[in-house]
Amino acid sequence: YKPEVRQNDPSRSGSGLGIDFCLKCIMTVAVISLVSLTAIFSHDFVTQSDFFAIKTIHITGANRAEASKVLEMAGLSKGMNIFEINLFTLEKRMAAHPWVNEVKARRKLPGRMEIAIREHRPLAIVRIENLADILINQQGRPFKEYNPATDHILDLPVISGLDLTSQTHEHLFNGPLFNSVMDLLKTQGIGLVK
């Protein structure tokens, strides 16, 4: 039951309504502050707890890209808290390895990181006059400078006569000659191309 407030009631003056409004505002701010502090302390507890420390790192798909080198590039190691890691940044750092085409990282609670790597599959070596030999992948994109001492790739065709062009902040092979070479290399059952 709420009694009706009469306009001429001296107990409900304008200052009484103002005090009620101020108390409601103060209580709202106090509740929001309490919820925010609870969220901050909970976040800090979870990201600093040893319970969520990485105990195992499982990497799949790393053949040419050494797993230890990829982890070093990403700055990932056992003992780090699984929640303090930004997965997007971790994937970007790992993708900086020349052999890594795509990376997908996942957290598995309480202390396991799973990393799936898809490496570039080399299609050919492109020899550029007076510069270097460059490996191209199945899509025709250059991804790494070829080093015969460390890459150990056998039976790849060597292409010469192509030039790199700059497009959208990266260097690519392009043009009708390159497209014809790609069509030839992707032909099934062609055998060994020289």
Side-chain angles (χ1 to χ4, degrees), residues 54-111:
I54 297 174
K55 294 166 188 68
T56 58
I57 301 172
H58 185 255
I59 298 177
T60 58
N63 297 319
R64 294 191 183 273
E66 295 176 28
S68 60
K69 185 72 172 168
V70 173
L71 290 176
E72 181 183 322
M73 289 177 73
L76 184 66
S77 64
K78 291 181 181 180
M80 295 176 71
N81 189 294
I82 204 165
F83 288 112
E84 73 178 325
I85 297 168
N86 183 330
L87 293 181
F88 178 76
T89 305
L90 180 75
E91 290 171 353
K92 288 292 183 189
R93 287 180 184 164
M94 289 181 173
H97 191 282
W99 277 104
V100 175
N101 188 14
E102 292 180 3
V103 178
K104 186 65 182 162
R106 289 182 5 180
R107 297 179 183 105
K108 295 283 271 192
L109 296 178

Side-chain angles (χ1 to χ4, degrees), residues 96-153:
H97 191 282
W99 277 104
V100 175
N101 188 14
E102 292 180 3
V103 178
K104 186 65 182 162
R106 289 182 5 180
R107 297 179 183 105
K108 295 283 271 192
L109 296 178
R112 179 180 168 103
M113 285 292 298
E114 290 187 354
I115 300 167
I117 294 175
R118 197 177 98 204
E119 294 182 340
H120 290 282
R121 289 182 42 215
L123 178 67
I125 301 168
V126 179
R127 182 162 287 148
I128 300 176
E129 294 291 325
N130 300 326
L131 286 179
D133 293 344
I134 298 174
L135 289 169
I136 60 171
N137 63 15
Q138 299 287 324
Q139 292 76 37
R141 299 180 74 81
F143 67 93
K144 182 184 183 311
E145 185 175 324
Y146 176 64
N147 184 349
T150 58
D151 291 331
H152 307 295
I153 301 173

Side-chain angles (χ1 to χ4, degrees), residues 122-183:
L123 178 67
I125 301 168
V126 179
R127 182 162 287 148
I128 300 176
E129 294 291 325
N130 300 326
L131 286 179
D133 293 344
I134 298 174
L135 289 169
I136 60 171
N137 63 15
Q138 299 287 324
Q139 292 76 37
R141 299 180 74 81
F143 67 93
K144 182 184 183 311
E145 185 175 324
Y146 176 64
N147 184 349
T150 58
D151 291 331
H152 307 295
I153 301 173
L154 302 175
D155 299 330
L156 282 183
V158 178
I159 304 166
S160 59
L162 298 176
D163 288 323
L164 286 169
T165 58
S166 179
Q167 293 180 346
T168 61
H169 305 296
E170 63 181 340
H171 290 80
L172 302 170
F173 294 104
N174 202 359
L177 177 61
F178 178 70
N179 293 337
S180 298
V181 169
M182 287 299 295
D183 290 340

